């Protein structure tokens, strides 16, 4: 039966949600995708999307296990379960241990679990998802694909924090995230812009609810904005990005806040939400800013300022800048954010083509800069799920056990 198993199931498991996509062969579009949300709560539900059709199934308080078992039953009914040949799992933190996608077994899973101290919000949920999926779909290979792996090529000068050795020895360094997206977009950019795969320099801005920018030299990450955790760097939906640690000491002393309070403040109450007092959603803020909402205007201005500053800074980690590439929900859809950012990049010699910029949304990819002189600017739709499926696909057929 192994030869019939051509599909890859991709799972991205959070603490109370689980996203999945099913890819047939090498097709870029998932044939079925969806999410389970509010897991462990009374209103937990599973939503399945196939083409334009959407089905919602109540899970009645069920958790990850219930959601995955229900999904498997649905796949069985659709005749798709036996077509699955591998499962790819998004794992947020691989520390400096995992430099590439890795076949999961009990030992690897234990190592990922042991890295939870670096990503306490993400890795435990990822591990839970893997455990449940390996139980439910135990007869196919499961593959861990790490957000951090792509950044393991970053040189020491760029990934080292200026702190005493004992902390550096304990793994406190910049790791970087969104690696699957940055790696995918970097490859697409080479094709779109006709660059030499062995001689090019890019800055990629992945802008979504979480945002990061990365300098890519000849296909390898050489610098990135996120750090030990996905909190450092750009202004995000609810995350502050860079802030003077001294400001945190000040707030802690002034308001007698605990470490957990500060974690919540910077990860969940800051960013666009904290700045605007209105929303973490860029689309909402763009509309509000257009109507004169002061908080929304400030939020957009601070976000764009930080982004342009990072793009300029990351360019110095490259011998040459060929292009700045925008991706992620905001990068792919907001001509406003792109225009405002590029307007600040005059020093790099980038000029916007306003018409091209205005027409780039909803998954379209293309160049949005005006002249052939100087670096280009482009929009490329990311497809992290497909990139994860690509990493898992080579494992199809390895040690497949009989379906239980
Ligand atoms: P992601 O996390 O990649 O799904 O991106 C989510 C972000 O993309 C949210 O802040 C959305 O408001 C933003 N976004 C999606 N579509 C648009 C749009 N048409 N204009 C501006 N922002 C958008």
């Amino acid at each position: 039966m192994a030869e019939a198993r051509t599909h890859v199931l991709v799972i991205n498991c959070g603490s109370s949600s689980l996203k999945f996509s099913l890819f047939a062969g090498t097709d870029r579009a998932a044939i079925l995708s969806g999410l389970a949300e509010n897991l462990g709560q009374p209103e937990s539900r599973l939503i399945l999307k196939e083409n334009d059709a959407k089905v919602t199934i109540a899970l009645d308080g069920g958790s990850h296990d219930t959601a995955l078992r229900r999904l498997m039953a649905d796949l069985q009914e659709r005749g798709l379960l036996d077509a699955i040949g591998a499962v790819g799992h998004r794992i947020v933190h691989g520390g400096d241990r995992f430099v590439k996608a890795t076949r999961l077994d009990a030992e690897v899973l234990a190592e990922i679990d042991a890295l939870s101290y670096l990503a306490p919000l993400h890795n435990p949920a990822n591990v839970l998802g893997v455990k449940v999926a390996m139980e439910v779909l135990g007869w196919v290979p499961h593959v861990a694909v790490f957000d951090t792996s792509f950044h393991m090529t970053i040189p020491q000068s760029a990934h080292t924090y200026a702190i005493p050795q004992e902390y550096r020895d304990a793994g406190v360094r910049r790791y970087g995230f969104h690696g699957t997206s940055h790696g995918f977009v970097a490859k697409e950019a080479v094709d779109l812009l006709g660059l030499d795969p062995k001689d090019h320099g890019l800055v990629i801005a992945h802008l979504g609810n979480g945002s990061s920018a990365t300098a890519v030299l000849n296909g390898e990450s050489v610098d990135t904005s996120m750090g030990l955790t996905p909190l450092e760097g750009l202004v995000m939906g609810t995350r502050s990005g860079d802030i003077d640690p001294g400001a945190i000491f000040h707030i802690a002393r002034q308001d007698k806040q605990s470490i957990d309070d500060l974690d919540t403040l910077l990860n969940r109450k800051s960013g666009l939400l904290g700045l605007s007092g209105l929303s973490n959603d860029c689309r909402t803020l763009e509309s509000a800013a257009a109507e004169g909402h002061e908080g929304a205007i400030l939020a957009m201005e601070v976000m764009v300022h930080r982004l342009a500053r990072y793009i300029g800074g990351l360019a110095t980690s490259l011998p040459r800048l060929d292009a700045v590439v925008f991706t992620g929900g905001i990068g792919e859809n907001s001509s406003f954010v792109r225009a405002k950012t590029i307007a600040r990049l005059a020093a790099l010699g980038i000029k916007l083509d306003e018409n091209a910029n205005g027409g780039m949304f909803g998954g379209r990819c293309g160049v949005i800069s005006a002249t052939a002189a100087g670096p280009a600017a482009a929009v490329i739709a990311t497809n992290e799920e497909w990139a994860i499926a690509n990493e898992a696909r080579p494992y199809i057929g390895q040690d497949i056990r009989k379906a239980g």
Side-chain angles (χ1 to χ4, degrees), residues 352-367:
L352 185 71
D353 175 337
E354 281 181 28
N355 270 340
N357 185 43
M360 217 61 81
F361 55 85
R364 293 188 195 151
C365 303
V367 173

PDB file of all heavy atoms in Angstrom, residues 352-367:
ATOM      1  N   LEU A 352       9.132  53.059  -5.202  1.00  0.00           N
ATOM      2  CA  LEU A 352       7.870  52.317  -5.344  1.00  0.00           C
ATOM      3  C   LEU A 352       7.202  52.576  -6.697  1.00  0.00           C
ATOM      4  O   LEU A 352       7.177  53.710  -7.176  1.00  0.00           O
ATOM      5  CB  LEU A 352       6.921  52.749  -4.219  1.00  0.00           C
ATOM      6  CG  LEU A 352       5.589  52.001  -4.129  1.00  0.00           C
ATOM      7  CD1 LEU A 352       5.807  50.580  -3.636  1.00  0.00           C
ATOM      8  CD2 LEU A 352       4.620  52.739  -3.207  1.00  0.00           C
ATOM      9  N   ASP A 353       6.658  51.508  -7.273  1.00  0.00           N
ATOM     10  CA  ASP A 353       5.740  51.645  -8.406  1.00  0.00           C
ATOM     11  C   ASP A 353       4.338  51.584  -7.796  1.00  0.00           C
ATOM     12  O   ASP A 353       3.862  50.512  -7.420  1.00  0.00           O
ATOM     13  CB  ASP A 353       5.976  50.497  -9.395  1.00  0.00           C
ATOM     14  CG  ASP A 353       4.983  50.501 -10.549  1.00  0.00           C
ATOM     15  OD1 ASP A 353       3.877  51.065 -10.397  1.00  0.00           O
ATOM     16  OD2 ASP A 353       5.313  49.920 -11.596  1.00  0.00           O
ATOM     17  N   GLU A 354       3.681  52.741  -7.694  1.00  0.00           N
ATOM     18  CA  GLU A 354       2.418  52.795  -6.943  1.00  0.00           C
ATOM     19  C   GLU A 354       1.329  51.922  -7.555  1.00  0.00           C
ATOM     20  O   GLU A 354       0.539  51.308  -6.836  1.00  0.00           O
ATOM     21  CB  GLU A 354       1.944  54.245  -6.835  1.00  0.00           C
ATOM     22  CG  GLU A 354       2.697  54.973  -5.745  1.00  0.00           C
ATOM     23  CD  GLU A 354       2.258  56.409  -5.578  1.00  0.00           C
ATOM     24  OE1 GLU A 354       1.099  56.712  -5.878  1.00  0.00           O
ATOM     25  OE2 GLU A 354       3.107  57.207  -5.149  1.00  0.00           O
ATOM     26  N   ASN A 355       1.286  51.893  -8.879  1.00  0.00           N
ATOM     27  CA  ASN A 355       0.261  51.074  -9.547  1.00  0.00           C
ATOM     28  C   ASN A 355       0.455  49.600  -9.242  1.00  0.00           C
ATOM     29  O   ASN A 355      -0.495  48.900  -8.885  1.00  0.00           O
ATOM     30  CB  ASN A 355       0.339  51.259 -11.075  1.00  0.00           C
ATOM     31  CG  ASN A 355      -0.556  52.400 -11.489  1.00  0.00           C
ATOM     32  OD1 ASN A 355      -1.462  52.781 -10.766  1.00  0.00           O
ATOM     33  ND2 ASN A 355      -0.262  52.957 -12.656  1.00  0.00           N
ATOM     34  N   ALA A 356       1.706  49.153  -9.405  1.00  0.00           N
ATOM     35  CA  ALA A 356       1.995  47.735  -9.146  1.00  0.00           C
ATOM     36  C   ALA A 356       1.691  47.417  -7.689  1.00  0.00           C
ATOM     37  O   ALA A 356       1.104  46.372  -7.369  1.00  0.00           O
ATOM     38  CB  ALA A 356       3.451  47.428  -9.473  1.00  0.00           C
ATOM     39  N   ASN A 357       2.056  48.324  -6.797  1.00  0.00           N
ATOM     40  CA  ASN A 357       1.812  48.097  -5.369  1.00  0.00           C
ATOM     41  C   ASN A 357       0.319  47.977  -5.075  1.00  0.00           C
ATOM     42  O   ASN A 357      -0.109  47.081  -4.350  1.00  0.00           O
ATOM     43  CB  ASN A 357       2.433  49.240  -4.553  1.00  0.00           C
ATOM     44  CG  ASN A 357       2.327  49.010  -3.061  1.00  0.00           C
ATOM     45  OD1 ASN A 357       2.555  47.900  -2.584  1.00  0.00           O
ATOM     46  ND2 ASN A 357       1.959  50.049  -2.317  1.00  0.00           N
ATOM     47  N   GLY A 358      -0.464  48.865  -5.670  1.00  0.00           N
ATOM     48  CA  GLY A 358      -1.913  48.870  -5.426  1.00  0.00           C
ATOM     49  C   GLY A 358      -2.583  47.577  -5.884  1.00  0.00           C
ATOM     50  O   GLY A 358      -3.615  47.184  -5.342  1.00  0.00           O
ATOM     51  N   GLY A 359      -2.015  46.911  -6.874  1.00  0.00           N
ATOM     52  CA  GLY A 359      -2.661  45.711  -7.416  1.00  0.00           C
ATOM     53  C   GLY A 359      -2.177  44.419  -6.782  1.00  0.00           C
ATOM     54  O   GLY A 359      -2.559  43.331  -7.211  1.00  0.00           O
ATOM     55  N   MET A 360      -1.330  44.542  -5.757  1.00  0.00           N
ATOM     56  CA  MET A 360      -0.738  43.325  -5.186  1.00  0.00           C
ATOM     57  C   MET A 360      -1.424  42.970  -3.862  1.00  0.00           C
ATOM     58  O   MET A 360      -1.171  43.583  -2.820  1.00  0.00           O
ATOM     59  CB  MET A 360       0.761  43.588  -4.955  1.00  0.00           C
ATOM     60  CG  MET A 360       1.646  42.399  -5.218  1.00  0.00           C
ATOM     61  SD  MET A 360       1.576  41.783  -6.903  1.00  0.00           S
ATOM     62  CE  MET A 360       2.676  42.927  -7.723  1.00  0.00           C
ATOM     63  N   PHE A 361      -2.332  41.995  -3.917  1.00  0.00           N
ATOM     64  CA  PHE A 361      -3.027  41.539  -2.704  1.00  0.00           C
ATOM     65  C   PHE A 361      -3.643  40.174  -2.993  1.00  0.00           C
ATOM     66  O   PHE A 361      -3.640  39.726  -4.156  1.00  0.00           O
ATOM     67  CB  PHE A 361      -4.118  42.532  -2.281  1.00  0.00           C
ATOM     68  CG  PHE A 361      -5.112  42.834  -3.361  1.00  0.00           C
ATOM     69  CD1 PHE A 361      -6.216  42.023  -3.576  1.00  0.00           C
ATOM     70  CD2 PHE A 361      -4.922  43.931  -4.194  1.00  0.00           C
ATOM     71  CE1 PHE A 361      -7.113  42.290  -4.587  1.00  0.00           C
ATOM     72  CE2 PHE A 361      -5.825  44.206  -5.218  1.00  0.00           C
ATOM     73  CZ  PHE A 361      -6.921  43.377  -5.419  1.00  0.00           C
ATOM     74  N   GLY A 362      -4.143  39.539  -1.953  1.00  0.00           N
ATOM     75  CA  GLY A 362      -4.901  38.292  -2.132  1.00  0.00           C
ATOM     76  C   GLY A 362      -4.106  37.156  -2.757  1.00  0.00           C
ATOM     77  O   GLY A 362      -4.652  36.362  -3.512  1.00  0.00           O
ATOM     78  N   GLY A 363      -2.810  37.096  -2.463  1.00  0.00           N
ATOM     79  CA  GLY A 363      -2.016  35.968  -2.951  1.00  0.00           C
ATOM     80  C   GLY A 363      -1.244  36.257  -4.233  1.00  0.00           C
ATOM     81  O   GLY A 363      -0.519  35.398  -4.725  1.00  0.00           O
ATOM     82  N   ARG A 364      -1.424  37.482  -4.792  1.00  0.00           N
ATOM     83  CA  ARG A 364      -0.649  37.796  -6.010  1.00  0.00           C
ATOM     84  C   ARG A 364       0.809  38.042  -5.653  1.00  0.00           C
ATOM     85  O   ARG A 364       1.124  38.573  -4.591  1.00  0.00           O
ATOM     86  CB  ARG A 364      -1.203  39.062  -6.664  1.00  0.00           C
ATOM     87  CG  ARG A 364      -2.588  38.842  -7.215  1.00  0.00           C
ATOM     88  CD  ARG A 364      -3.049  40.026  -8.031  1.00  0.00           C
ATOM     89  NE  ARG A 364      -4.478  39.907  -8.221  1.00  0.00           N
ATOM     90  CZ  ARG A 364      -5.313  40.910  -8.377  1.00  0.00           C
ATOM     91  NH1 ARG A 364      -4.841  42.145  -8.395  1.00  0.00           N
ATOM     92  NH2 ARG A 364      -6.589  40.700  -8.537  1.00  0.00           N
ATOM     93  N   CYS A 365       1.694  37.689  -6.567  1.00  0.00           N
ATOM     94  CA  CYS A 365       3.127  37.867  -6.342  1.00  0.00           C
ATOM     95  C   CYS A 365       3.697  38.712  -7.476  1.00  0.00           C
ATOM     96  O   CYS A 365       3.318  38.522  -8.633  1.00  0.00           O
ATOM     97  CB  CYS A 365       3.852  36.525  -6.339  1.00  0.00           C
ATOM     98  SG  CYS A 365       3.213  35.361  -5.125  1.00  0.00           S
ATOM     99  N   GLY A 366       4.599  39.603  -7.170  1.00  0.00           N
ATOM    100  CA  GLY A 366       5.234  40.383  -8.239  1.00  0.00           C
ATOM    101  C   GLY A 366       6.087  41.506  -7.699  1.00  0.00           C
ATOM    102  O   GLY A 366       6.169  41.741  -6.487  1.00  0.00           O
ATOM    103  N   VAL A 367       6.703  42.222  -8.645  1.00  0.00           N
ATOM    104  CA  VAL A 367       7.598  43.326  -8.313  1.00  0.00           C
ATOM    105  C   VAL A 367       6.768  44.592  -8.100  1.00  0.00           C
ATOM    106  O   VAL A 367       5.812  44.842  -8.837  1.00  0.00           O
ATOM    107  CB  VAL A 367       8.616  43.529  -9.465  1.00  0.00           C
ATOM    108  CG1 VAL A 367       9.457  44.783  -9.245  1.00  0.00           C
ATOM    109  CG2 VAL A 367       9.508  42.296  -9.584  1.00  0.00           C
TER     110      VAL A 367
END
